[in-house]
Amino acid sequence: MKYNAKVVDNFMPAEMWQEFKTYIKQELNNGGWRHAHNDYQELDILNLGAGQKLAVGTEANFKLEKNDDMFYKPLSAEWKDKIVQFMIDKKYWTRKPKEGSTFHLHVLWPLTSTKYHLDQDAAATFYINEDWDYNWGGQLIWKHINDTVGEYLEIRPNRIIFLKNDVEHNVTTTAMEADKRLTIQMFFDAEIYNPDLFTEAGVVQ
C-alpha cells in the first residue's frame, strides 16, 4: 500500500542535531526576518513575547488582534547543503531538488487554524522546539489518500514529516501563551522522493 506522508523521529543524528540547534539559536538573534504576509519588509522579532507581534511599519509591540503572525528567513546555504546531502545519504531523496526549491526557518505564533489546502510542491516540515506544550496547539493534520482525516501530528524536537504534493493538510490554532513555534519548511519537486519512503505507515524511529 502507498501512503502520502511519512513521519521520521530522531531525524538528525545527535551531533548534527546539537550543531543545528546552535545555528538556530544564532539565527534567532540575527536580523533578516520577514513577515509571511508583508514580504517587502524585514521585521525584528527578537523582543516579542507570547501574544505579541511587531506592528508592520512601526517599532511598537502590541497585543494581537488577529492571530496571523508568521515570520521566515532563508536557511543558510551551508545548512541547506548539509540537509540536502543528508536526505540523499539517508535515501529519502534520490537527488538534489531543482533550482527554486525553498528552505526557510519559520517562526509561527499565535495563529488561527488554517483551512485544508494543497501546496504546489512537495513539502517537509522539521520541528525544532524542545519544550512544546501539547495544549498550545500548532499541530499538523493531514488527510489520507482516501480523503478521510488522517494523522494528528504531535510536535516533537528533531521530528520531520514528508508530504507529497497531493496532500490536503492544515495547522491547528496556536494558543496566545504559546512559545514561538520553530520549524524548517521545505518545498521542492516531488520527483526527488525515494518511492520506498511511502510504502509504510506511521512513524519511523
Side-chain angles (χ1 to χ4, degrees), residues 11 84-95 162 192-198:
F11 171 66
V84 167
Q85 190 57 53
F86 185 71
M87 294 283 199
I88 295 170
D89 291 344
K90 294 290 289 185
K91 296 183 169 37
Y92 300 131
W93 292 351
T94 59
R95 57 167 172 79
F162 298 101
I192 71 174
Y193 275 136
N194 181 345
D196 292 340
L197 183 64
F198 298 98

Side-chain angles (χ1 to χ4, degrees), residues 22 29 35 50 56 70 95 114 128 135 149 159 183 197 199:
T22 299
N29 287 283
H35 192 284
V56 175
M70 292 183 286
R95 57 167 172 79
T114 61
I128 302 169
N135 294 312
V149 174
R159 162 177 272 190
T183 62
L197 183 64
T199 56

Side-chain angles (χ1 to χ4, degrees), residues 73-75 80 83-84 93 97 101-105 185-186:
K73 68 192 304 185
L75 200 63
K80 179 179 177 180
I83 290 174
V84 167
W93 292 351
S101 299
T102 58
F103 292 70
H104 287 155
L105 175 58
Q185 300 294 141
M186 306 172 228

Side-chain angles (χ1 to χ4, degrees), residues 65-78:
E65 295 180 0
K66 183 179 180 183
N67 302 355
D68 63 352
D69 266 5
M70 292 183 286
F71 301 89
Y72 74 94
K73 68 192 304 185
L75 200 63
S76 71
E78 178 185 0

Side-chain angles (χ1 to χ4, degrees), residues 179-197:
D179 285 345
K180 297 176 180 67
R181 179 181 179 271
L182 306 176
T183 62
I184 300 297
Q185 300 294 141
M186 306 172 228
F187 296 95
F188 44 86
D189 52 302
E191 291 79 12
I192 71 174
Y193 275 136
N194 181 345
D196 292 340
L197 183 64

